[in-house]
Short mmCIF file of all heavy atoms in Angstrom, two decimals:
data_model
loop_
_atom_site.label_atom_id
_atom_site.label_comp_id
_atom_site.label_asym_id
_atom_site.label_seq_id
_atom_site.Cartn_x
_atom_site.Cartn_y
_atom_site.Cartn_z
N VAL A 1 67.03 135.87 -7.86
CA VAL A 1 66.96 137.10 -8.63
C VAL A 1 66.12 138.16 -7.91
O VAL A 1 66.46 139.34 -7.95
CB VAL A 1 66.38 136.82 -10.04
CG1 VAL A 1 66.05 138.10 -10.79
CG2 VAL A 1 67.33 135.96 -10.84
N ARG A 2 65.07 137.75 -7.22
CA ARG A 2 64.09 138.69 -6.68
C ARG A 2 64.33 139.14 -5.24
O ARG A 2 63.81 140.18 -4.84
CB ARG A 2 62.70 138.08 -6.78
CG ARG A 2 62.21 137.93 -8.20
CD ARG A 2 60.80 137.35 -8.21
NE ARG A 2 60.23 137.42 -9.54
CZ ARG A 2 60.07 136.37 -10.32
NH1 ARG A 2 60.43 135.17 -9.89
NH2 ARG A 2 59.54 136.50 -11.51
N ILE A 3 65.05 138.37 -4.46
CA ILE A 3 65.20 138.73 -3.05
C ILE A 3 66.42 139.64 -2.87
O ILE A 3 67.54 139.25 -3.22
CB ILE A 3 65.31 137.48 -2.16
CG1 ILE A 3 63.99 136.70 -2.22
CG2 ILE A 3 65.65 137.85 -0.72
CD1 ILE A 3 63.97 135.43 -1.42
N PRO A 4 66.19 140.82 -2.33
CA PRO A 4 67.31 141.75 -2.13
C PRO A 4 68.38 141.15 -1.21
O PRO A 4 68.08 140.42 -0.26
CB PRO A 4 66.65 142.95 -1.44
CG PRO A 4 65.20 142.84 -1.77
CD PRO A 4 64.91 141.37 -1.90
N GLY A 5 69.62 141.43 -1.54
CA GLY A 5 70.74 141.02 -0.71
C GLY A 5 71.34 139.67 -1.07
O GLY A 5 72.38 139.30 -0.52
N LEU A 6 70.72 138.94 -1.98
CA LEU A 6 71.28 137.64 -2.35
C LEU A 6 72.36 137.75 -3.43
O LEU A 6 73.12 136.81 -3.63
CB LEU A 6 70.17 136.67 -2.81
CG LEU A 6 69.14 136.29 -1.76
CD1 LEU A 6 68.15 135.28 -2.34
CD2 LEU A 6 69.79 135.74 -0.51
N ARG A 7 72.40 138.90 -4.10
CA ARG A 7 73.42 139.13 -5.11
C ARG A 7 74.26 140.35 -4.74
O ARG A 7 73.79 141.25 -4.04
CB ARG A 7 72.77 139.36 -6.49
CG ARG A 7 72.15 138.12 -7.06
CD ARG A 7 71.39 138.37 -8.36
NE ARG A 7 70.15 139.12 -8.07
CZ ARG A 7 69.90 140.35 -8.53
NH1 ARG A 7 70.75 140.98 -9.30
NH2 ARG A 7 68.78 140.95 -8.21
N ARG A 8 75.47 140.37 -5.23
CA ARG A 8 76.31 141.56 -5.04
C ARG A 8 75.66 142.72 -5.79
O ARG A 8 75.10 142.53 -6.87
CB ARG A 8 77.71 141.31 -5.59
CG ARG A 8 78.48 140.26 -4.84
CD ARG A 8 79.85 140.08 -5.44
NE ARG A 8 80.48 138.89 -4.91
CZ ARG A 8 81.52 138.31 -5.46
NH1 ARG A 8 82.08 138.79 -6.55
NH2 ARG A 8 82.04 137.22 -4.90
N PRO A 9 75.75 143.92 -5.26
CA PRO A 9 75.13 145.08 -5.92
C PRO A 9 75.59 145.23 -7.38
O PRO A 9 76.78 145.17 -7.68
CB PRO A 9 75.60 146.27 -5.08
CG PRO A 9 75.89 145.67 -3.73
CD PRO A 9 76.40 144.29 -4.01
N GLY A 10 74.63 145.34 -8.29
CA GLY A 10 74.92 145.53 -9.70
C GLY A 10 75.52 144.32 -10.40
O GLY A 10 76.13 144.46 -11.45
N SER A 11 75.35 143.13 -9.84
CA SER A 11 76.01 141.94 -10.38
C SER A 11 75.05 140.74 -10.35
O SER A 11 74.08 140.72 -9.60
CB SER A 11 77.23 141.62 -9.51
OG SER A 11 77.82 140.40 -9.88
N ILE A 12 75.38 139.75 -11.17
CA ILE A 12 74.64 138.49 -11.11
C ILE A 12 75.26 137.54 -10.09
O ILE A 12 74.68 136.53 -9.73
CB ILE A 12 74.56 137.78 -12.47
CG1 ILE A 12 75.95 137.37 -12.95
CG2 ILE A 12 73.83 138.63 -13.48
CD1 ILE A 12 75.94 136.37 -14.09
N TRP A 13 76.45 137.87 -9.61
CA TRP A 13 77.19 136.99 -8.71
C TRP A 13 76.63 137.06 -7.30
O TRP A 13 76.19 138.11 -6.84
CB TRP A 13 78.68 137.32 -8.73
CG TRP A 13 79.24 137.15 -10.10
CD1 TRP A 13 79.68 138.13 -10.94
CD2 TRP A 13 79.35 135.93 -10.83
NE1 TRP A 13 80.07 137.60 -12.14
CE2 TRP A 13 79.87 136.24 -12.10
CE3 TRP A 13 79.05 134.60 -10.55
CZ2 TRP A 13 80.11 135.28 -13.07
CZ3 TRP A 13 79.29 133.64 -11.51
CH2 TRP A 13 79.81 133.99 -12.75
N PRO A 14 76.66 135.95 -6.59
CA PRO A 14 76.02 135.92 -5.27
C PRO A 14 76.79 136.67 -4.20
O PRO A 14 78.01 136.73 -4.21
CB PRO A 14 75.96 134.43 -4.93
CG PRO A 14 77.06 133.82 -5.71
CD PRO A 14 77.18 134.63 -6.97
N SER A 15 76.02 137.21 -3.26
CA SER A 15 76.60 137.70 -2.03
C SER A 15 76.81 136.48 -1.14
O SER A 15 76.41 135.36 -1.47
CB SER A 15 75.63 138.68 -1.36
OG SER A 15 74.45 137.99 -0.97
N GLN A 16 77.38 136.68 0.02
CA GLN A 16 77.55 135.56 0.95
C GLN A 16 76.20 134.95 1.32
O GLN A 16 76.05 133.75 1.41
CB GLN A 16 78.31 136.03 2.20
CG GLN A 16 78.78 134.90 3.08
CD GLN A 16 79.79 133.98 2.37
OE1 GLN A 16 80.62 134.42 1.60
NE2 GLN A 16 79.69 132.69 2.63
N GLN A 17 75.19 135.82 1.50
CA GLN A 17 73.85 135.34 1.85
C GLN A 17 73.19 134.58 0.71
O GLN A 17 72.35 133.72 0.94
CB GLN A 17 72.93 136.52 2.24
CG GLN A 17 73.36 137.27 3.47
CD GLN A 17 74.44 138.33 3.17
OE1 GLN A 17 74.83 138.56 2.03
NE2 GLN A 17 74.93 138.95 4.23
N GLY A 18 73.55 134.88 -0.52
CA GLY A 18 72.91 134.25 -1.67
C GLY A 18 73.60 133.01 -2.20
O GLY A 18 73.08 132.33 -3.09
N LEU A 19 74.74 132.69 -1.64
CA LEU A 19 75.52 131.56 -2.15
C LEU A 19 74.74 130.25 -2.13
O LEU A 19 74.78 129.48 -3.08
CB LEU A 19 76.83 131.43 -1.37
CG LEU A 19 77.89 130.53 -1.97
CD1 LEU A 19 78.26 130.98 -3.38
CD2 LEU A 19 79.13 130.53 -1.09
N GLY A 20 74.01 129.98 -1.05
CA GLY A 20 73.26 128.73 -0.94
C GLY A 20 72.21 128.56 -2.02
O GLY A 20 72.04 127.48 -2.57
N ILE A 21 71.53 129.64 -2.37
CA ILE A 21 70.50 129.56 -3.41
C ILE A 21 71.14 129.61 -4.79
O ILE A 21 70.68 128.92 -5.71
CB ILE A 21 69.46 130.69 -3.23
CG1 ILE A 21 68.66 130.41 -1.96
CG2 ILE A 21 68.53 130.79 -4.43
CD1 ILE A 21 67.62 131.43 -1.63
N ALA A 22 72.19 130.37 -4.97
CA ALA A 22 72.86 130.43 -6.28
C ALA A 22 73.37 129.06 -6.70
O ALA A 22 73.38 128.74 -7.89
CB ALA A 22 74.01 131.43 -6.23
N LYS A 23 73.74 128.25 -5.73
CA LYS A 23 74.23 126.91 -6.05
C LYS A 23 73.15 126.04 -6.67
O LYS A 23 73.46 125.02 -7.28
CB LYS A 23 74.79 126.23 -4.80
CG LYS A 23 76.08 126.83 -4.31
CD LYS A 23 76.54 126.10 -3.06
CE LYS A 23 77.81 126.70 -2.53
NZ LYS A 23 78.22 126.06 -1.28
N ASP A 24 71.89 126.42 -6.54
CA ASP A 24 70.81 125.62 -7.11
C ASP A 24 70.79 125.66 -8.64
O ASP A 24 69.99 124.97 -9.26
CB ASP A 24 69.46 126.07 -6.55
CG ASP A 24 69.33 125.72 -5.08
OD1 ASP A 24 69.95 124.73 -4.64
OD2 ASP A 24 68.59 126.42 -4.36
N VAL A 25 71.68 126.43 -9.21
CA VAL A 25 71.79 126.45 -10.67
C VAL A 25 72.14 125.04 -11.19
O VAL A 25 71.77 124.69 -12.30
CB VAL A 25 72.80 127.53 -11.14
CG1 VAL A 25 74.23 127.13 -10.85
CG2 VAL A 25 72.61 127.85 -12.60
N TRP A 26 72.81 124.22 -10.38
CA TRP A 26 73.12 122.86 -10.82
C TRP A 26 71.85 122.05 -11.01
O TRP A 26 71.77 121.19 -11.90
CB TRP A 26 74.09 122.16 -9.86
CG TRP A 26 73.56 121.82 -8.50
CD1 TRP A 26 73.54 122.64 -7.40
CD2 TRP A 26 72.97 120.59 -8.08
NE1 TRP A 26 72.99 121.99 -6.32
CE2 TRP A 26 72.62 120.73 -6.71
CE3 TRP A 26 72.71 119.39 -8.71
CZ2 TRP A 26 72.02 119.71 -5.98
CZ3 TRP A 26 72.12 118.37 -7.98
CH2 TRP A 26 71.77 118.54 -6.63
N LEU A 27 70.81 122.31 -10.22
CA LEU A 27 69.54 121.62 -10.41
C LEU A 27 68.93 122.01 -11.76
O LEU A 27 68.38 121.16 -12.46
CB LEU A 27 68.56 121.95 -9.29
CG LEU A 27 68.88 121.41 -7.90
CD1 LEU A 27 67.91 121.98 -6.87
CD2 LEU A 27 68.84 119.90 -7.89
N ALA A 28 69.02 123.27 -12.10
CA ALA A 28 68.50 123.73 -13.39
C ALA A 28 69.27 123.06 -14.54
O ALA A 28 68.66 122.61 -15.52
CB ALA A 28 68.59 125.25 -13.51
N GLY A 29 70.57 122.97 -14.41
CA GLY A 29 71.37 122.31 -15.45
C GLY A 29 71.01 120.85 -15.63
O GLY A 29 70.88 120.37 -16.76
N ILE A 30 70.83 120.14 -14.54
CA ILE A 30 70.44 118.73 -14.63
C ILE A 30 69.04 118.62 -15.22
O ILE A 30 68.78 117.77 -16.09
CB ILE A 30 70.51 118.05 -13.25
CG1 ILE A 30 71.95 117.94 -12.78
CG2 ILE A 30 69.87 116.65 -13.30
CD1 ILE A 30 72.11 117.51 -11.33
N GLY A 31 68.12 119.48 -14.79
CA GLY A 31 66.76 119.44 -15.31
C GLY A 31 66.70 119.68 -16.80
O GLY A 31 66.05 118.94 -17.54
N VAL A 32 67.39 120.70 -17.27
CA VAL A 32 67.41 121.00 -18.71
C VAL A 32 68.08 119.86 -19.48
O VAL A 32 67.62 119.48 -20.56
CB VAL A 32 68.10 122.36 -18.97
CG1 VAL A 32 68.35 122.58 -20.46
CG2 VAL A 32 67.26 123.49 -18.40
N GLY A 33 69.14 119.29 -18.92
CA GLY A 33 69.80 118.15 -19.56
C GLY A 33 68.88 116.96 -19.70
O GLY A 33 68.82 116.31 -20.76
N LEU A 34 68.14 116.63 -18.64
CA LEU A 34 67.20 115.52 -18.71
C LEU A 34 66.07 115.79 -19.68
O LEU A 34 65.66 114.92 -20.45
CB LEU A 34 66.62 115.23 -17.32
CG LEU A 34 67.55 114.56 -16.32
CD1 LEU A 34 66.93 114.56 -14.93
CD2 LEU A 34 67.90 113.15 -16.76
N LEU A 35 65.58 117.01 -19.65
CA LEU A 35 64.52 117.40 -20.57
C LEU A 35 64.98 117.27 -22.01
O LEU A 35 64.29 116.69 -22.86
CB LEU A 35 64.07 118.83 -20.25
CG LEU A 35 62.86 119.38 -20.97
CD1 LEU A 35 61.64 118.51 -20.77
CD2 LEU A 35 62.57 120.79 -20.48
N ALA A 36 66.17 117.79 -22.30
CA ALA A 36 66.71 117.69 -23.66
C ALA A 36 66.94 116.24 -24.06
O ALA A 36 66.63 115.84 -25.19
CB ALA A 36 68.01 118.49 -23.76
N ASP A 37 67.46 115.45 -23.13
CA ASP A 37 67.70 114.03 -23.44
C ASP A 37 66.38 113.32 -23.70
O ASP A 37 66.31 112.43 -24.54
CB ASP A 37 68.46 113.38 -22.28
CG ASP A 37 69.10 112.06 -22.68
OD1 ASP A 37 69.66 111.98 -23.79
OD2 ASP A 37 69.03 111.11 -21.89
N GLY A 38 65.36 113.70 -22.96
CA GLY A 38 64.08 113.04 -23.10
C GLY A 38 63.33 113.37 -24.36
O GLY A 38 62.51 112.57 -24.84
N VAL A 39 63.56 114.54 -24.92
CA VAL A 39 62.82 114.94 -26.13
C VAL A 39 63.61 114.72 -27.42
O VAL A 39 63.08 114.94 -28.49
CB VAL A 39 62.31 116.40 -26.04
CG1 VAL A 39 61.36 116.56 -24.88
CG2 VAL A 39 63.46 117.38 -25.98
N THR A 40 64.86 114.34 -27.30
CA THR A 40 65.65 114.05 -28.50
C THR A 40 65.87 112.55 -28.62
O THR A 40 65.83 111.81 -27.64
CB THR A 40 67.01 114.76 -28.47
OG1 THR A 40 67.74 114.35 -27.30
CG2 THR A 40 66.84 116.27 -28.45
N ARG A 41 66.15 112.11 -29.79
CA ARG A 41 66.42 110.69 -30.03
C ARG A 41 67.91 110.52 -30.33
O ARG A 41 68.53 111.36 -30.95
CB ARG A 41 65.61 110.16 -31.19
CG ARG A 41 64.11 110.27 -30.95
CD ARG A 41 63.39 109.32 -31.86
NE ARG A 41 61.95 109.48 -31.73
CZ ARG A 41 61.21 108.78 -30.90
NH1 ARG A 41 61.75 107.87 -30.14
NH2 ARG A 41 59.92 108.98 -30.84
#
């Protein structure tokens, strides 16, 4: 979000340079899933 050039201008979608970091969203999804699984019964 903070480094210029990683997203297409005016968009949340990645530029070619930002694709590698944008893919890390899968880590966030797994983390939130584990967290939710761990705090629910």
Side-chain angles (χ1 to χ4, degrees):
V1 170
R2 292 182 170 106
I3 295 178
L6 296 183
R7 290 175 288 117
R8 294 180 192 164
S11 173
I12 64 165
W13 300 111
S15 64
Q16 192 62 37
Q17 296 83 4
L19 194 57
I21 292 179
K23 290 179 181 177
D24 291 332
V25 73
W26 68 274
L27 291 172
I30 292 170
V32 170
L34 287 170
L35 187 56
D37 197 41
V39 298
T40 58
R41 300 200 185 268

